[in-house]
Amino acid sequence: MVPTQWWVSTSLSGLDESAAVGGSTHPPRHHHGCSAHVQKILRMLRSAACEQSKQVHARAHSSKPVAKTSSNYIQNLNHWSKNMDQDENQKRNSEITQEVFGKAIMDLQGPGIPEEIMFSHRHQRTHKDEFESPPNKYCEYDIFPKWHLPVKTALILSLFIFTYTFLRDIIHPFVTAQENVFYKIPILVINKVLPVVSITLLALVYLPGILAAGFQFHYGTKYKRFPQWLDRWMLSRKQFGLLSFFFGSMHACYSLCYPLRRSYRYKLLNWAYQQVQKKKENAWIEHDVWRMEIYVSLGILALALLALLAVTSIPSVNYSLTWREFHYIQSKMGYLALLLCTIHALVFAWDKWIDLHQYLWYTPPTFIIAVILPIIVLTCKVILLFPCFRKRLQKIRSGCAAVTNETQITSKL
């Protein structure tokens, strides 16, 4: 008996060769050889069906309908073979040959031959193309290429701020006062890392625009190509902004979890007991209340603006806006969000700037580190808004400055 997998693979490979000679849309030049080859394939299919029919007859009585069906398939194959001999001059298209062969395969599939065995050759070729192709074919394309720089920057910033906060808030009291405060790591320490990274990433969104303006001022033209690192940085501003919104949202969620902590409840009871011992009826502190109200309100407004910037970065929303509308939202409202975040951090600090107890091991607190870069970016933006700089920058970006320089050079020559 001819193995099923062998004759199916052989017939499919032979059909592939005949299709390769003639093509899928043009008739083959050596049709006589192609027709003979198809006849050979049909004879092999007929013999295989006969063998299968004999085996089915030898089995139990329940397989009689299947044997009858197999005999019908043999008659159909004989009929198709005669038709191929009669219509040899008309069937010059390779697609018709493939259709006849496909019908034979489908009919033979009826008695119960699995599809994986019938088309094993095809399956093997598919797996080979997908899994055994040269690795360079898939290594040429990186996953999320524009996210590499922002994600690496965010990870480095997070690791640095976490280490800095861990040394100040955890290691310092453990070394100096033998106080175990490691319980602060999951919530308090992480919640000090998140806002610093968020506001720093938001400042990194608008810092390359300031640097680009400086390059244009220096060269006096907009046609001078930016350095490669600045060009890559400017192309990743959207990803920096989305990561800033992500860290800001996490900061808001962590802040809302403060009253849910068991340690906070114990401290609240301790504060109430201390108040009773001191015989204080009212523990109201006016400036502390105002500080809390203001910086929470500013934080909510800043997060809302960041959400608006993130929504307008979605391609479907972006395409529905004009360039002027998109530039207004991303530029004007983006700087407003950065300003609100900076004021939020400054109000949170309140009078802690001059408190020497905040400078543990002669290191500044984290809120000072958080506002350094945003203040630099905002200061540079305010300077660029001065009329003398703003008009000069508008002329450069409109191309007038370059035309003026070329005219002066031509007149000198």
Side-chain angles (χ1 to χ4, degrees), residues 291-307:
R291 179 182 73 91
M292 178 73 72
E293 299 292 330
I294 293 174
Y295 90 78
V296 170
S297 177
L298 291 174
I300 294 173
L301 292 175
L303 184 62
L305 288 178
L306 286 178

Side-chain angles (χ1 to χ4, degrees), residues 96-302:
I96 301 177
T97 304
Q98 294 180 4
E99 183 179 358
V100 172
F101 183 74
K103 289 181 179 180
I105 293 296
M106 292 176 62
D107 287 336
L108 283 175
Q109 193 178 1
I113 302 176
E115 184 180 358
E116 290 78 6
I117 299 177
M118 293 289 296
F119 299 99
S120 60
H121 183 70
R122 293 289 187 183
H123 285 289
Q124 290 174 3
R125 289 182 59 189
T126 303
H127 295 323
K128 182 177 181 181
D129 292 340
E130 291 181 357
F131 302 105
E132 298 182 8
S133 58
N136 296 331
K137 179 180 178 181
Y138 297 99
C139 294
E140 292 177 358
Y141 306 100
D142 293 332
I143 300 178
F144 306 117
K146 292 185 178 180
W147 286 88
H148 290 179
L149 179 62
V151 170
K152 290 178 182 177
T153 305
L155 290 177
I156 292 173
L157 281 173
S158 302
L159 182 61
F160 172 74
I161 300 300
F162 177 81
T163 305
Y164 186 83
T165 308
F166 179 77
L167 292 175
R168 283 176 46 86
D169 295 355
I170 307 299
I171 301 300
H172 180 269
F174 183 78
V175 172
T176 57
Q178 299 298 321
E179 184 180 0
N180 185 1
V181 289
F182 285 90
Y183 69 91
K184 293 182 178 181
I185 295 176
I187 301 294
L188 295 178
V189 174
I190 297 298
N191 200 33
K192 285 188 177 181
V193 175
L194 294 174
V196 179
V197 178
S198 177
I199 194 173
T200 304
L201 292 176
L202 185 60
L204 291 177
V205 174
Y206 299 100
L207 181 59
I210 304 295
L211 298 177
F215 274 99
Q216 291 176 344
F217 272 122
H218 178 71
Y219 292 106
T221 179
K222 69 173 184 178
Y223 300 106
K224 180 70 175 179
R225 186 175 181 84
F226 294 135
Q228 187 176 2
W229 59 269
L230 181 58
D231 190 25
R232 183 185 176 190
W233 189 356
M234 294 185 71
L235 291 175
S236 301
R237 287 181 295 178
K238 173 183 175 180
Q239 287 72 24
F240 275 107
L242 292 176
L243 285 176
S244 174
F245 172 67
F246 171 74
F247 280 93
S249 302
M250 294 292 293
H251 170 57
C253 294
Y254 271 79
S255 299
L256 292 175
C257 294
Y258 271 16
L260 303 178
R261 296 177 299 127
R262 181 66 62 180
S263 58
Y264 177 81
R265 298 178 184 180
Y266 288 150
K267 284 190 175 183
L268 188 62
L269 291 175
N270 292 336
W271 292 335
Y273 180 73
Q274 292 173 4
Q275 183 178 348
V276 171
Q277 281 188 333
K278 293 179 181 179
K279 297 181 180 181
K280 286 185 178 181
E281 296 181 357
N282 189 5
W284 186 274
I285 302 176
E286 187 72 19
H287 69 86
D288 198 21
V289 172
W290 277 102
R291 179 182 73 91
M292 178 73 72
E293 299 292 330
I294 293 174
Y295 90 78
V296 170
S297 177
L298 291 174
I300 294 173
L301 292 175

